[in-house]
Amino acid sequence: KGGPKGFGKGGFGGGKGYGKGYGGGRGYSSRPQPLPEGFEVNPTTVFTGTVITYYKFQGYGFITPDQKGAIPGDKVFVFWKNINSTDRFPSLLKDAQVQFTVSVVERRGVTTLQAENICNIGGTPIAVQDEVDQKKTFVGGQNLRYTGTLKFFSPKQGFGYIKIDPGFQYDKEGVPEEIRVEQQEMNCGGGNPDTAENLQVEFGIWVTQKGVFKGYNVTLPGGVPLPQAVPEA
């Protein structure tokens, strides 16, 4: 099953993904808490704490430190780029115990604090995507890879579409010729995905609870990470 072109796992599973950021749509809308005058930050101090909320598709959340009173408001903002993770798409789970440092940043015209170097207590990278993947339903199994053309991917919109190469047979009915791929499945080996058009790719296929077929762990042929976006200066 899986078709004549199906082959073993070739995905570069350790890569990171891309987040939409925050500030628009359903993103972060409340004003950042300003840093009290005279408050000093030691960027080498390691805190431990609990993730009180995290919005995966907006790429941000908040951590409350165990050391009460050490951080103004006992809450610090966390952005996905500062998560030390082996996942394709770095994320945090609510109520997770983590360690982190803090830095002073300017956000929306306000001098405030932001969590940095977020990882598991003890320093190991965050890894939650494997647990999430285990709950997915796959076409042909999680390790089966298909080939096709990434017609486009838009980092701004956070999704793209893949046209599957003809000739595959599937163990599930209704797989369309084109499937959508979300940003968290764009595997760039640790970077952000760039705008792409008419790119040859390989991928898995999974099915949502509503029966929608989508791309999974998309890479270049042979499991090579997708092109990364050039970081902004």
Side-chain angles (χ1 to χ4, degrees):
K1 296 180 180 180
K5 294 184 182 178
F7 53 92
K9 185 175 183 180
F12 189 82
K16 294 182 180 179
Y18 173 74
K20 288 184 181 177
Y22 55 91
R26 291 177 296 172
Y28 184 50
S29 58
S30 60
R31 184 174 176 81
Q33 180 176 345
L35 202 60
E37 186 175 350
F39 185 85
E40 296 184 358
V41 172
N42 183 345
T44 65
T45 299
V46 177
F47 298 90
T48 58
T50 302
V51 179
I52 55 176
T53 187
Y54 190 83
Y55 303 99
K56 178 177 179 179
F57 296 108
Q58 280 70 47
Y60 76 90
F62 293 92
I63 300 171
T64 182
D66 295 330
Q67 299 80 4
K68 301 304 178 185
I71 293 176
D74 288 328
K75 183 172 70 173
V76 62
F77 180 85
V78 53
F79 189 44
W80 74 272
K81 289 184 178 180
N82 299 319
I83 301 172
N84 180 3
S85 176
T86 58
D87 291 333
R88 297 185 302 279
F89 184 66
S91 182
L92 296 173
L93 297 178
K94 187 177 183 296
D95 298 326
Q97 302 295 305
V98 296
Q99 74 176 44
F100 59 96
T101 61
V102 296
S103 65
V104 178
V105 296
E106 191 81 13
R107 198 169 79 246
R108 299 170 62 195
V110 177
T111 300
T112 186
L113 292 180
Q114 179 170 285
E116 307 274 353
N117 305 308
I118 302 100
C119 59
N120 291 317
I121 294 177
T124 58
I126 303 290
V128 300
Q129 198 150 22
D130 285 346
E131 181 180 343
V132 173
D133 287 349
Q134 289 174 4
K135 299 177 181 179
K136 287 185 169 83
T137 299
F138 294 92
V139 175
Q142 182 177 356
N143 296 335
L144 190 66
R145 305 289 283 171
Y146 302 90
T147 59
T149 301
L150 181 64
K151 297 181 64 177
F152 78 91
F153 178 80
S154 169
K156 183 176 181 179
Q157 294 180 310
F159 69 90
Y161 273 87
I162 298 171
K163 183 175 182 179
I164 306 172
D165 286 340
F168 287 106
Q169 298 175 357
Y170 307 107
D171 62 353
K172 291 179 174 58
E173 295 182 356
V175 179
E177 293 182 358
E178 296 184 4
I179 57 175
R180 175 166 165 150
V181 56
E182 308 294 346
Q183 60 190 9
Q184 65 266 32
E185 296 299 343
M186 296 288 286
N187 194 330
C188 298
N192 303 340
D194 202 356
T195 300
E197 188 174 335
N198 296 324
L199 188 67
Q200 296 299 306
V201 293
E202 73 171 50
F203 50 92
I205 303 175
W206 70 288
V207 192
T208 71
Q209 292 183 347
K210 294 183 178 180
V212 179
F213 296 91
K214 294 190 175 185
Y216 166 73
N217 192 16
V218 180
T219 67
L220 294 177
V224 177
L226 293 163
Q228 297 183 9
V230 178
E232 295 181 3

